[in-house]
């Protein structure tokens, strides 16, 4: 291992350090994930300096002998009950500086932090069959989940678009659609939190992911975190006649309103499944995006490859698979 690589933990991330971080992430993403947009410098700075929900963040920067940034690692340490055994790793090494030991040094720092924080599980994501997967396998991570990434293009006309609009306009007796931007309205906060808990039964393969308990304060806090980093969160929900929120879907629009947006959660409460509500709210969200954000042309989502129901919903809406990633888990030995 090269001794010319130096790793130091970032305390309060400076503007210069955020620029260095972006430089590494941009190079790594372009090499390993061609066609995937790189977060802009503002997004990176907000990620590194803003608050996180139910967690705190640790960050490291690796530099070469000449002080050039060659690698970065971020560790999200979960703190909420039900997930306080868990940490999540993001690690990038500039392709021009790989095989010099930077990745190994960064991983060692993250694992040591997991031990200090008494975390038994470390998870990480890598492109399927890419260099990150090989790196993870060599260092003791086990493959725990495969994710299928899908894309829907909003600028395509024809049969698929007409079918999607029919789905959005379909009647669902006993249910109504409602939506909001940012923080959930107070009158819906408790119902939304109850619906959020339906995500705890989503397929997670062999990941030791734990569970999250949602309440009204937590859903408000989540929206505040998104807003503080400059992003916009759109939500559409199906509400039953008795006031229960039966299902919902969320879209994240990164700051600057780029052409590609991200699907966040979609969930239907168990007792309301089987009525096509997931398909309905997602189709209605596409219609809303077209009306309110005409500059958006792509929605990206991902599903576990064994989440047969949601994959079928997305394919019905016109989403098409375009890449795969894998989630890996390292069981961290106790001190």
């Amino acid at each position: 291992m090269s001794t010319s690589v130096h790793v130091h933990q970032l305390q309060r991330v400076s503007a210069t350090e955020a620029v260095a971080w972006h430089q590494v992430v941009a190079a790594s993403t372009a090499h390993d994930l061609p066609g995937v947009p790189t977060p802009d410098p503002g997004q990176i700075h907000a990620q590194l300096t803003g608050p996180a929900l139910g967690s705190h963040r640790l960050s490291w920067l690796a530099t070469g002998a000449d002080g050039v940034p060659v690698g970065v690692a971020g560790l999200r340490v979960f703190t909420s009950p039900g997930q306080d055994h868990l940490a999540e790793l993001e690690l990038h090494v500039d392709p021009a500086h790989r095989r010099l030991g930077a990745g190994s040094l960064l991983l060692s720092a993250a694992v040591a932090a997991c031990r200090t924080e008494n975390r038994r599980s470390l998870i990480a994501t890598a492109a399927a069959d890419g260099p990150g997967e090989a790196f993870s396998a060599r260092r003791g991570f086990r493959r725990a989940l495969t994710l299928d990434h899908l894309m829907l293009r909003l600028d395509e006309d024809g049969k698929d678009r007409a079918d999607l609009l029919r789905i959005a306009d379909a009647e669902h007796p006993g249910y109504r659609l409602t939506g909001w931007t940012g923080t959930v309205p107070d009158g819906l906060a408790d119902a939304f939190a109850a619906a959020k808990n339906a995500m705890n039964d989503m397929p997670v393969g062999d990941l030791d992911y734990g569970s999250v308990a949602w309440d009204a304060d937590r859903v408000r806090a989540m929206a505040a975190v998104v807003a503080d980093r400059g992003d916009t969160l759109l939500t559409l929900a199906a509400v039953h006649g008795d006031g229960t929120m039966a299902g919902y879907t969320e879209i994240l629009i990164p700051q600057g309103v780029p052409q590609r947006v991200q699907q966040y959660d979609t969930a239907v409460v168990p007792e309301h499944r089987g009525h096509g509500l997931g398909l309905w709210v997602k189709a209605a969200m596409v219609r809303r995006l077209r009306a309110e954000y005409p500059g958006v042309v792509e929605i990206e989502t991902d599903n576990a490859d064994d989440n047969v129901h949601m994959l079928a919903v997305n394919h019905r809406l016109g989403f098409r698979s375009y890449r795969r990633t894998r989630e890996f888990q390292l069981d961290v030995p106790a001190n």
Side-chain angles (χ1 to χ4, degrees):
M1 183 180 297
S2 172
T3 58
S4 63
V5 176
H6 175 67
V7 171
H8 66 279
Q9 186 171 352
L10 306 181
Q11 300 304 322
R12 301 186 63 178
V13 179
S14 68
T16 300
E17 290 166 337
V19 169
W21 189 289
H22 178 265
Q23 177 183 321
V24 172
V25 171
S28 173
T29 301
H31 183 272
D32 298 340
L33 299 170
V36 174
T38 303
D40 67 31
Q43 290 174 301
I44 292 288
H45 187 267
Q47 172 190 340
L48 292 172
T49 60
L53 181 63
S55 62
H56 64 267
R57 182 182 177 88
L58 304 173
S59 304
W60 296 267
L61 176 67
T63 54
D66 52 3
V68 172
V70 299
V72 296
L75 189 69
R76 183 182 180 190
V77 182
F78 291 82
T79 55
S80 297
Q83 289 191 309
D84 52 5
H85 66 287
L86 181 67
E88 185 173 24
L89 175 66
E90 175 191 6
L91 193 154
H92 297 272
V93 177
D94 187 319
H97 300 278
R98 290 179 179 173
R99 301 191 180 280
L100 299 176
S104 296
L105 289 171
L106 288 165
L107 177 59
S108 294
V111 171
C114 286
R115 291 194 181 101
T116 300
E117 300 274 351
N118 294 315
R119 296 303 183 270
R120 70 170 186 264
S121 297
L122 176 62
I123 59 175
T125 304
D129 305 317
E133 177 165 355
F135 175 87
S136 300
R138 288 195 302 270
R139 283 153 181 83
F141 285 80
R142 57 181 174 80
R143 185 191 300 181
L145 178 68
T146 298
L147 294 170
D148 193 6
H149 293 251
L150 306 98
M151 192 77 72
L152 176 66
R153 292 197 58 89
L154 304 185
D155 55 353
E156 294 178 349
D157 294 318
K159 177 181 177 299
D160 286 346
R161 179 171 179 176
D163 188 39
L164 189 148
L165 292 175
R166 281 194 295 271
I167 294 168
D169 291 334
E171 293 187 3
H172 289 73
Y175 299 93
R176 63 179 175 86
L177 284 176
T178 188
W180 61 89
T181 299
T183 305
V184 60
D186 287 345
L188 292 172
D190 288 330
F192 185 40
K196 273 276 188 182
N197 285 307
M199 288 296 293
N200 283 324
D201 69 356
M202 70 177 180
V204 293
D206 294 324
L207 281 177
D208 182 15
Y209 199 73
S211 61
V212 177
W214 291 89
D215 58 20
D217 288 340
R218 186 179 177 90
V219 296
R220 293 187 185 105
M222 181 197 72
V225 167
V226 172
D228 286 346
R229 67 178 187 234
D231 300 336
T232 301
L233 188 64
L234 306 182
T235 308
L236 273 178
V239 179
H240 190 259
D242 64 4
T244 301
M245 191 169 292
Y248 68 93
T249 191
E250 299 169 317
I251 289 285
L252 180 88
I253 302 177
Q255 59 176 296
V257 191
Q259 291 188 330
R260 183 180 298 184
V261 300
Q262 301 293 320
Q263 177 78 62
Y264 262 27
D265 292 350
T266 299
V268 176
V269 175
E271 51 267 37
H272 293 277
R273 291 173 184 169
H275 301 291
L277 299 182
L279 189 66
W280 184 35
V281 294
K282 291 196 73 164
M285 178 63 86
V286 172
R287 183 174 58 187
R288 179 181 176 184
L289 274 174
R290 282 184 169 135
E292 297 180 15
Y293 296 90
V296 171
V297 297
E298 295 175 329
I299 303 174
E300 181 178 0
T301 189
D302 62 73
N303 301 117
D305 63 353
D306 59 350
N307 192 349
V308 177
H309 174 72
M310 191 54 67
L311 283 168
V313 166
N314 285 327
H315 288 145
R316 173 74 189 280
L317 293 171
F319 283 87
R320 298 293 177 259
S321 300
Y322 84 105
R323 67 184 180 97
R324 289 160 73 81
T325 59
R326 294 197 172 105
E327 300 273 345
F328 297 88
Q329 182 167 309
L330 180 69
D331 298 324
V332 181
N335 286 321

